[in-house]
Amino acid sequence: MDKQVLLNKKLTEIIHKLEGEVGGLLGQDFSCEQPTHSFTNLGALLGNINGKAVLSMFEVSGDTAGTAYLVVELKDAISLGGTLILLPPDEMNTRRKSELFDGEVSDAFGEIANIIAGVYTAVFIEHANPKLHFKKTELIPFNPTGDDIPIPEGVYYTTTGSIVTDGNTLGALSVLIPPDLLGLEAPTTEELETTAETSPTPPEDAGGKPATAKASPAATAAGPPLILVVSETQQAAEFFAQNFSEQCNCEVTCMHFQGDFQLTARNKNFVGVFLAMREVGERGLASIIKIQSAVGEKTPLIAAGPAWTRQTVLQAVKYGASDILVTPASKQEVLEKIHQHMQVPTN
């Protein structure tokens, strides 16, 4: 698998995890909408910031060492820190207008930055290569248009998303990581600027998000439509498929969790996936990322299993599941999911 594709999967997983962690800390909904991961020139990123900003430095250690950076607009840092310490609305507005970022508000935002560093560490240590540990160090307000920028010039691999708290859209949250820490070869600033000038604006998908430049395996494949069934064992996958295969006007491929999804999906036209779990848990849900990296993120994936809880449903959706199926399920229930999500005629 392309190293950058796999890295993007992990970075998206990090965003989903920190949404839950930061939201839990704040005691309200927190999301980082439409996250993107790409090589970014520092100057271009700073040029999109409105007003002053706050930088949190992350000391990176492990397989490689260096410094990463968390950047948000100063007013947003005040809002997030103020929310954590239950700052009265009037005082919050006063601080935002006067750009007053100090004392308990600064300390509170520092705690949020600590949480974010912890999420990055957890995912990189457990699931990524290289293994990296992120530790929040300094917290620095700065002027992006000033002469004293506390981030070295250059190209960074950057994750950026729009902050939404309790239904209110704020500015961007960006995490900048030097490409060499991730084992990536970065384009030069000149190459990046040339690419930006010559590349057409990507079309938007149905959700309003920019379509990725690299087509997914499902988008480039031809041939008859296929449905993929994945379970703990080959036998379990085949048992689940027996429930609908004769009524579905397409072929069915069965695999176990440890199978080579990339090899199976190569040049195949998979129109949908069933992830059939004997028990709903982290191991099964985490395989959603591996499956979608092979068949394409736009290929609908139905997570099937017994005893769903609110937490596991949310977790499945965050990993990328299109829908949930409670098992044991009737043949009709399975066929309805196929008809609804996969656009495959059924008998």
Side-chain angles (χ1 to χ4, degrees):
M1 185 193 307
D2 183 277
K3 181 179 180 64
Q4 193 172 335
V5 172
L6 181 58
L7 174 63
N8 289 349
K9 286 283 185 182
K10 299 305 176 187
L11 293 173
T12 298
E13 179 184 344
I14 287 171
I15 291 297
H16 292 328
K17 285 182 178 293
L18 73 83
E19 286 176 331
E21 294 288 338
V22 174
L25 184 67
L26 296 176
Q28 63 177 225
D29 290 339
F30 174 89
S31 60
C32 195
E33 300 290 336
Q34 298 185 348
T36 59
H37 319 290
S38 62
F39 291 108
T40 307
N41 183 343
L42 176 64
L45 183 139
L46 297 182
N48 289 324
I49 295 177
N50 296 315
K52 295 181 180 178
V54 172
L55 160 72
S56 178
M57 290 188 176
F58 291 162
E59 178 184 309
V60 182
S61 59
D63 289 346
T64 55
T67 305
Y69 308 91
L70 166 70
V71 178
V72 301
E73 293 182 8
L74 187 140
K75 291 181 179 180
D76 296 340
I78 292 171
S79 293
L80 294 172
T83 298
L84 181 57
I85 61 172
L86 303 178
L87 204 64
D90 289 347
E91 185 175 350
M92 181 96 76
N93 291 333
T94 298
R95 280 181 170 269
R96 282 174 56 87
K97 289 178 182 178
S98 60
E99 298 183 328
L100 186 59
F101 181 73
D102 60 4
E104 290 185 335
V105 171
S106 175
D107 291 343
F109 181 75
E111 288 302 312
I112 294 171
N114 269 328
I115 292 292
I116 294 173
V119 173
Y120 267 81
T121 297
V123 173
F124 269 92
I125 290 296
E126 294 176 16
H127 305 298
N129 185 23
K131 307 295 185 184
L132 301 177
H133 183 277
F134 294 73
K135 180 182 178 181
K136 192 269 291 184
T137 55
E138 297 183 74
L139 197 65
I140 306 172
F142 72 101
N143 184 353
T145 61
D147 297 326
D148 189 19
I149 305 297
I151 309 174
E153 284 287 344
V155 174
Y156 293 86
Y157 203 68
T158 304
T159 295
T160 299
S162 178
I163 302 170
V164 179
T165 60
D166 206 25
N168 300 313
T169 301
L170 306 180
L173 178 150
S174 300
V175 176
L176 293 70
I177 304 178
D180 61 298
L181 295 186
L182 303 171
L184 298 178
E185 183 176 351
T188 65
T189 299
E190 292 74 18
E191 289 172 339
L192 200 60
E193 291 174 350
T194 300
T195 301
E197 290 173 359
T198 58
S199 298
T201 302
E204 294 185 342
D205 62 18
K209 300 180 181 180
T212 55
K214 184 175 180 179
S216 68
T220 58
L226 298 169
I227 290 178
L228 177 64
V229 176
V230 181
S231 193
E232 284 89 350
T233 66
Q234 184 75 19
Q235 183 179 9
E238 291 173 354
F239 179 79
F240 183 90
Q242 288 174 3
N243 197 31
F244 68 88
S245 57
E246 293 183 0
Q247 279 71 44
C248 179
N249 293 313
C250 71
E251 297 182 21
V252 179
T253 299
C254 297
M255 293 184 64
H256 56 80
F257 284 168
Q258 304 305 318
D260 189 335
F261 297 114
Q262 293 292 327
L263 180 62
T264 299
R266 190 172 299 157
N267 299 321
K268 301 289 178 54
N269 181 23
F270 281 109
V271 295
V273 179
F274 280 102
L275 174 60
M277 296 169 283
R278 184 169 55 245
E279 294 181 358
V280 178
E282 179 71 25
R283 178 170 174 261
L285 294 176
S287 66
I288 293 175
I289 296 174
K290 291 174 60 179
I291 297 168
Q292 289 191 326
S293 71
V295 302
E297 292 186 359
K298 291 185 179 181
T299 304
L301 184 148
I302 313 301
W308 287 92
T309 65
R310 181 177 183 275
Q311 181 179 354
T312 54
V313 168
L314 291 175
Q315 190 176 14
V317 172
K318 283 188 174 183
Y319 274 128
S322 306
D323 203 348
I324 303 299
L325 178 65
V326 179
T327 58
S330 69
K331 182 180 298 184
Q332 186 58 36
E333 288 173 323
V334 176
L335 293 175
E336 285 177 358
K337 297 296 184 185
I338 294 173
H339 180 72
Q340 178 182 356
H341 295 283
M342 305 175 193
Q343 299 179 342
V344 174
T346 55
N347 296 333

Coordinates of all heavy atoms in Angstrom, one line a residue, residues 279-343:
E279 N -18.4 -10.8 17.6 CA -18.5 -9.8 18.7 C -18.1 -8.4 18.3 O -17.0 -8.3 17.6 CB -17.7 -10.2 20.0 CG -18.2 -11.5 20.6 CD -17.4 -11.9 21.8 OE1 -16.4 -11.1 22.2 OE2 -17.7 -12.9 22.5
V280 N -18.8 -7.4 18.6 CA -18.4 -6.1 18.2 C -17.3 -5.6 19.1 O -17.5 -5.5 20.3 CB -19.6 -5.1 18.2 CG1 -19.2 -3.7 17.9 CG2 -20.7 -5.6 17.3
G281 N -16.2 -5.3 18.5 CA -15.1 -4.8 19.4 C -14.0 -4.1 18.6 O -14.2 -3.9 17.3
E282 N -13.0 -3.6 19.3 CA -12.0 -2.8 18.6 C -11.3 -3.5 17.5 O -11.0 -2.9 16.4 CB -11.0 -2.4 19.7 CG -9.8 -1.5 19.2 CD -10.2 -0.1 18.8 OE1 -11.2 0.4 19.4 OE2 -9.6 0.5 18.0
R283 N -11.0 -4.7 17.6 CA -10.3 -5.5 16.6 C -11.0 -5.5 15.3 O -10.5 -5.2 14.2 CB -9.9 -6.9 17.0 CG -9.2 -7.7 16.0 CD -8.7 -9.0 16.6 NE -8.2 -9.9 15.6 CZ -8.8 -10.9 15.0 NH1 -10.1 -11.2 15.4 NH2 -8.2 -11.7 14.1
G284 N -12.3 -5.8 15.4 CA -13.1 -5.8 14.2 C -13.3 -4.5 13.6 O -13.2 -4.3 12.4
L285 N -13.7 -3.5 14.4 CA -13.9 -2.2 13.9 C -12.7 -1.5 13.3 O -12.8 -0.8 12.3 CB -14.5 -1.3 15.0 CG -15.9 -1.7 15.6 CD1 -16.3 -0.8 16.7 CD2 -16.9 -1.6 14.5
A286 N -11.5 -1.8 13.8 CA -10.3 -1.2 13.3 C -10.0 -1.7 11.9 O -9.4 -1.1 11.1 CB -9.1 -1.5 14.2
S287 N -10.5 -2.9 11.6 CA -10.3 -3.5 10.2 C -11.0 -2.7 9.2 O -10.7 -2.8 8.0 CB -10.7 -5.0 10.2 OG -12.1 -5.1 10.3
I288 N -12.0 -1.9 9.5 CA -12.7 -1.0 8.6 C -11.7 -0.2 7.8 O -11.8 0.0 6.6 CB -13.7 -0.1 9.3 CG1 -14.9 -1.0 9.9 CG2 -14.3 0.9 8.3 CD1 -15.9 -0.2 10.7
I289 N -10.7 0.4 8.5 CA -9.7 1.2 7.9 C -8.9 0.4 6.8 O -8.7 0.9 5.7 CB -8.8 1.8 8.9 CG1 -9.5 2.7 9.9 CG2 -7.6 2.6 8.3 CD1 -8.7 3.3 11.0
K290 N -8.5 -0.8 7.2 CA -7.8 -1.6 6.2 C -8.6 -2.0 5.0 O -8.1 -1.9 3.9 CB -7.3 -2.9 6.9 CG -6.2 -2.7 8.0 CD -5.9 -4.0 8.7 CE -5.5 -5.1 7.7 NZ -5.2 -6.3 8.4
I291 N -9.9 -2.3 5.3 CA -10.7 -2.7 4.2 C -11.0 -1.5 3.2 O -10.9 -1.7 2.0 CB -12.1 -3.2 4.7 CG1 -11.9 -4.5 5.5 CG2 -13.1 -3.5 3.6 CD1 -13.1 -4.9 6.3
Q292 N -11.3 -0.4 3.8 CA -11.6 0.8 2.9 C -10.4 1.3 2.2 O -10.5 1.9 1.1 CB -12.2 1.9 3.7 CG -13.6 1.6 4.2 CD -14.3 2.8 4.8 OE1 -13.7 3.6 5.4 NE2 -15.6 2.8 4.5
S293 N -9.2 1.1 2.7 CA -8.0 1.5 2.0 C -7.8 0.7 0.7 O -7.2 1.1 -0.2 CB -6.7 1.3 2.9 OG -6.4 0.0 3.1
A294 N -8.4 -0.5 0.7 CA -8.3 -1.4 -0.4 C -9.4 -1.2 -1.4 O -9.2 -1.1 -2.6 CB -8.3 -2.9 0.0
V295 N -10.6 -1.1 -0.9 CA -11.8 -1.0 -1.9 C -12.2 0.4 -2.2 O -13.0 0.7 -3.1 CB -13.0 -1.8 -1.3 CG1 -12.7 -3.2 -1.0 CG2 -13.5 -1.1 0.0
G296 N -11.7 1.4 -1.4 CA -12.0 2.8 -1.6 C -13.0 3.3 -0.6 O -13.9 2.5 -0.2
E297 N -12.8 4.5 -0.1 CA -13.6 5.0 1.0 C -15.1 5.2 0.6 O -15.9 5.2 1.4 CB -13.0 6.3 1.5 CG -11.7 6.2 2.2 CD -11.2 7.5 2.8 OE1 -11.9 8.5 2.6 OE2 -10.1 7.5 3.4
K298 N -15.3 5.4 -0.7 CA -16.7 5.6 -1.1 C -17.5 4.3 -1.3 O -18.7 4.4 -1.5 CB -16.7 6.4 -2.5 CG -16.2 7.8 -2.3 CD -16.3 8.6 -3.6 CE -15.9 10.0 -3.5 NZ -16.0 10.8 -4.7
T299 N -16.8 3.2 -1.2 CA -17.5 1.9 -1.2 C -18.3 1.7 0.1 O -17.6 1.7 1.1 CB -16.5 0.8 -1.5 OG1 -15.8 1.0 -2.7 CG2 -17.3 -0.6 -1.6
P300 N -19.6 1.6 0.0 CA -20.4 1.4 1.3 C -19.9 0.2 2.1 O -19.7 -0.9 1.5 CB -21.8 1.4 0.8 CG -21.8 1.1 -0.6 CD -20.5 1.6 -1.1
L301 N -19.8 0.4 3.4 CA -19.4 -0.8 4.3 C -20.5 -0.9 5.4 O -20.7 0.1 6.1 CB -18.0 -0.5 4.8 CG -17.5 -1.7 5.7 CD1 -16.0 -1.8 5.6 CD2 -17.9 -1.5 7.2
I302 N -21.1 -2.0 5.5 CA -22.1 -2.3 6.5 C -21.4 -3.1 7.7 O -20.9 -4.2 7.4 CB -23.3 -3.1 6.0 CG1 -23.8 -2.5 4.7 CG2 -24.4 -3.2 7.0 CD1 -24.2 -1.0 4.8
A303 N -21.4 -2.6 8.9 CA -20.8 -3.3 10.0 C -21.9 -4.1 10.7 O -22.9 -3.5 11.1 CB -20.2 -2.3 11.0
A304 N -21.8 -5.4 10.7 CA -22.8 -6.3 11.2 C -22.3 -7.0 12.5 O -21.1 -7.5 12.5 CB -23.2 -7.3 10.2
G305 N -23.1 -7.1 13.5 CA -22.7 -7.7 14.7 C -23.8 -7.7 15.8 O -24.8 -6.9 15.6
P306 N -23.7 -8.4 16.9 CA -24.7 -8.4 17.9 C -24.4 -7.4 19.0 O -23.3 -6.8 19.1 CB -24.6 -9.8 18.5 CG -23.1 -10.1 18.4 CD -22.6 -9.4 17.1
A307 N -25.4 -7.1 19.8 CA -25.2 -6.3 21.0 C -24.5 -5.0 20.8 O -23.5 -4.6 21.5 CB -24.4 -7.1 22.1
W308 N -25.0 -4.2 19.9 CA -24.4 -2.9 19.6 C -24.8 -2.0 20.8 O -25.9 -2.0 21.3 CB -25.0 -2.3 18.3 CG -24.4 -2.9 17.1 CD1 -24.9 -4.0 16.4 CD2 -23.2 -2.5 16.4 NE1 -24.1 -4.3 15.3 CE2 -23.1 -3.4 15.3 CE3 -22.2 -1.6 16.6 CZ2 -22.0 -3.3 14.4 CZ3 -21.2 -1.5 15.7 CH2 -21.1 -2.3 14.7
T309 N -23.8 -1.1 21.2 CA -24.1 0.0 22.1 C -24.0 1.3 21.4 O -23.5 1.4 20.3 CB -23.1 -0.1 23.3 OG1 -21.8 0.2 22.8 CG2 -23.1 -1.5 24.0
R310 N -24.4 2.3 22.1 CA -24.3 3.7 21.5 C -22.8 4.0 21.2 O -22.4 4.5 20.1 CB -24.8 4.7 22.4 CG -24.8 6.2 21.9 CD -25.4 7.2 22.8 NE -25.4 8.5 22.3 CZ -24.4 9.3 22.4 NH1 -23.3 9.0 23.1 NH2 -24.4 10.6 21.9
Q311 N -21.9 3.6 22.1 CA -20.5 3.8 21.9 C -19.9 3.1 20.7 O -19.2 3.7 19.9 CB -19.7 3.5 23.2 CG -18.2 3.7 23.1 CD -17.5 3.3 24.3 OE1 -18.1 3.0 25.3 NE2 -16.2 3.4 24.3
T312 N -20.3 1.8 20.6 CA -19.7 1.1 19.5 C -20.3 1.5 18.1 O -19.6 1.4 17.1 CB -19.9 -0.5 19.7 OG1 -21.3 -0.7 19.9 CG2 -19.1 -1.0 20.8
V313 N -21.6 1.9 18.1 CA -22.2 2.5 16.9 C -21.4 3.7 16.5 O -21.0 3.9 15.3 CB -23.7 2.8 17.1 CG1 -24.2 3.6 15.9 CG2 -24.5 1.5 17.2
L314 N -21.2 4.6 17.4 CA -20.5 5.9 17.1 C -19.0 5.6 16.6 O -18.5 6.2 15.7 CB -20.4 6.8 18.3 CG -21.8 7.4 18.7 CD1 -21.6 8.2 20.0 CD2 -22.3 8.3 17.6
Q315 N -18.4 4.6 17.3 CA -17.1 4.2 16.9 C -17.0 3.6 15.5 O -16.1 4.0 14.7 CB -16.5 3.2 17.9 CG -15.1 2.9 17.7 CD -14.6 1.9 18.8 OE1 -15.4 1.3 19.5 NE2 -13.3 1.8 19.0
A316 N -18.0 2.8 15.1 CA -18.0 2.2 13.8 C -18.2 3.3 12.7 O -17.6 3.3 11.7 CB -19.2 1.2 13.7
V317 N -19.1 4.2 13.0 CA -19.4 5.3 12.1 C -18.1 6.2 11.9 O -17.8 6.6 10.8 CB -20.6 6.2 12.5 CG1 -20.7 7.4 11.6 CG2 -21.9 5.3 12.5
K318 N -17.4 6.5 13.0 CA -16.2 7.3 12.9 C -15.1 6.6 12.1 O -14.4 7.2 11.4 CB -15.7 7.6 14.3 CG -16.5 8.7 15.0 CD -15.9 9.2 16.3 CE -16.7 10.4 16.9 NZ -16.0 10.9 18.1
Y319 N -15.0 5.3 12.3 CA -14.1 4.5 11.5 C -14.4 4.5 10.0 O -13.5 4.3 9.1 CB -13.9 3.1 12.0 CG -13.0 2.9 13.1 CD1 -13.4 2.3 14.3 CD2 -11.7 3.3 13.0 CE1 -12.5 2.1 15.3 CE2 -10.8 3.2 14.1 CZ -11.2 2.5 15.2 OH -10.3 2.3 16.2
G320 N -15.7 4.7 9.7 CA -16.1 4.8 8.3 C -17.2 3.9 7.8 O -17.5 3.8 6.6
A321 N -17.9 3.2 8.8 CA -19.0 2.4 8.4 C -20.2 3.2 7.9 O -20.5 4.3 8.4 CB -19.5 1.6 9.6
S322 N -20.8 2.7 6.8 CA -22.0 3.4 6.2 C -23.2 3.2 7.0 O -24.1 4.0 7.0 CB -22.1 3.0 4.8 OG -21.0 3.2 4.0
D323 N -23.3 2.0 7.6 CA -24.6 1.6 8.3 C -24.3 0.5 9.3 O -23.2 -0.1 9.2 CB -25.6 1.2 7.3 CG -27.1 1.3 7.8 OD1 -27.2 1.5 9.1 OD2 -28.0 1.2 7.1
I324 N -25.2 0.2 10.1 CA -25.1 -0.9 11.1 C -26.2 -1.9 10.9 O -27.3 -1.6 10.6 CB -25.2 -0.3 12.6 CG1 -24.2 0.8 12.8 CG2 -25.1 -1.4 13.6 CD1 -22.8 0.4 12.7
L325 N -25.8 -3.2 11.1 CA -26.8 -4.3 11.0 C -26.7 -5.1 12.2 O -25.6 -5.6 12.6 CB -26.5 -5.1 9.7 CG -27.4 -6.4 9.5 CD1 -28.8 -5.9 9.3 CD2 -26.8 -7.2 8.4
V326 N -27.8 -5.3 12.9 CA -27.8 -6.1 14.1 C -28.0 -7.5 13.8 O -28.9 -7.9 13.0 CB -28.9 -5.6 15.1 CG1 -28.9 -6.5 16.3 CG2 -28.7 -4.1 15.5
T327 N -27.1 -8.4 14.3 CA -27.2 -9.8 14.0 C -27.6 -10.6 15.2 O -27.3 -10.1 16.4 CB -25.8 -10.3 13.5 OG1 -24.8 -10.1 14.4 CG2 -25.5 -9.7 12.1
P328 N -28.2 -11.7 15.1 CA -28.6 -12.4 13.8 C -29.6 -11.6 13.0 O -30.6 -11.0 13.6 CB -29.1 -13.7 14.2 CG -29.6 -13.5 15.6 CD -28.7 -12.5 16.2
A329 N -29.4 -11.5 11.7 CA -30.4 -10.7 10.9 C -31.1 -11.6 9.9 O -30.5 -12.6 9.5 CB -29.6 -9.7 10.1
S330 N -32.3 -11.3 9.5 CA -33.0 -12.1 8.6 C -32.5 -11.8 7.2 O -31.8 -10.8 6.9 CB -34.5 -11.7 8.6 OG -34.7 -10.4 8.1
K331 N -32.8 -12.7 6.3 CA -32.4 -12.6 4.9 C -32.9 -11.3 4.3 O -32.2 -10.5 3.6 CB -32.9 -13.7 4.0 CG -32.4 -13.7 2.6 CD -33.0 -14.9 1.9 CE -32.4 -16.2 2.4 NZ -32.8 -17.4 1.7
Q332 N -34.1 -10.9 4.6 CA -34.7 -9.7 4.1 C -34.0 -8.5 4.6 O -33.8 -7.5 3.9 CB -36.2 -9.6 4.5 CG -37.0 -8.5 3.9 CD -36.9 -8.4 2.4 OE1 -37.0 -9.5 1.8 NE2 -36.8 -7.3 1.8
E333 N -33.6 -8.5 5.9 CA -32.8 -7.3 6.4 C -31.5 -7.1 5.7 O -31.1 -6.0 5.4 CB -32.6 -7.5 7.9 CG -33.9 -7.4 8.8 CD -33.6 -7.8 10.2 OE1 -32.8 -8.7 10.5 OE2 -34.2 -7.1 11.1
V334 N -30.8 -8.2 5.4 CA -29.6 -8.1 4.7 C -29.8 -7.6 3.3 O -29.1 -6.7 2.8 CB -28.8 -9.4 4.6 CG1 -27.6 -9.3 3.8 CG2 -28.5 -9.9 6.0
L335 N -30.8 -8.1 2.6 CA -31.1 -7.7 1.3 C -31.5 -6.2 1.2 O -31.2 -5.5 0.3 CB -32.2 -8.5 0.6 CG -31.8 -10.0 0.4 CD1 -33.0 -10.8 -0.1 CD2 -30.7 -10.1 -0.6
E336 N -32.2 -5.7 2.2 CA -32.6 -4.3 2.3 C -31.3 -3.4 2.4 O -31.3 -2.4 1.8 CB -33.5 -4.1 3.5 CG -34.9 -4.6 3.3 CD -35.8 -4.4 4.5 OE1 -35.3 -3.9 5.5 OE2 -37.0 -4.7 4.5
K337 N -30.3 -3.8 3.1 CA -29.1 -3.1 3.2 C -28.4 -3.0 1.9 O -27.9 -2.0 1.5 CB -28.2 -3.7 4.3 CG -28.7 -3.7 5.7 CD -28.9 -2.2 6.2 CE -29.3 -2.2 7.7 NZ -29.6 -0.9 8.2
I338 N -28.4 -4.2 1.2 CA -27.8 -4.2 -0.2 C -28.5 -3.3 -1.1 O -27.9 -2.5 -1.9 CB -27.8 -5.6 -0.7 CG1 -26.9 -6.5 0.2 CG2 -27.4 -5.7 -2.2 CD1 -27.0 -8.0 -0.2
H339 N -29.8 -3.3 -1.1 CA -30.6 -2.5 -2.0 C -30.4 -1.0 -1.6 O -30.3 -0.1 -2.5 CB -32.1 -2.9 -1.9 CG -33.0 -2.0 -2.7 ND1 -33.1 -2.2 -4.1 CD2 -33.9 -1.0 -2.4 CE1 -33.9 -1.3 -4.6 NE2 -34.4 -0.6 -3.6
Q340 N -30.3 -0.7 -0.4 CA -30.2 0.7 0.1 C -28.9 1.3 -0.2 O -28.8 2.5 -0.7 CB -30.5 0.8 1.6 CG -30.4 2.2 2.2 CD -30.6 2.2 3.7 OE1 -30.9 1.2 4.3 NE2 -30.4 3.4 4.3
H341 N -27.8 0.6 0.0 CA -26.5 1.2 -0.1 C -25.7 0.8 -1.3 O -24.8 1.5 -1.8 CB -25.7 0.8 1.1 CG -26.2 1.3 2.4 ND1 -26.0 2.6 2.8 CD2 -26.9 0.7 3.4 CE1 -26.6 2.8 4.0 NE2 -27.2 1.7 4.4
M342 N -25.9 -0.4 -1.9 CA -25.1 -0.9 -2.9 C -25.6 -0.9 -4.3 O -25.0 -1.2 -5.3 CB -24.6 -2.4 -2.6 CG -24.0 -2.4 -1.2 SD -23.6 -4.1 -0.7 CE -23.2 -3.8 1.1
Q343 N -26.9 -0.5 -4.4 CA -27.5 -0.4 -5.7 C -27.4 -1.6 -6.6 O -27.1 -1.6 -7.8 CB -27.0 0.8 -6.5 CG -27.2 2.2 -5.7 CD -26.6 3.3 -6.5 OE1 -25.8 3.2 -7.3 NE2 -27.1 4.5 -6.1

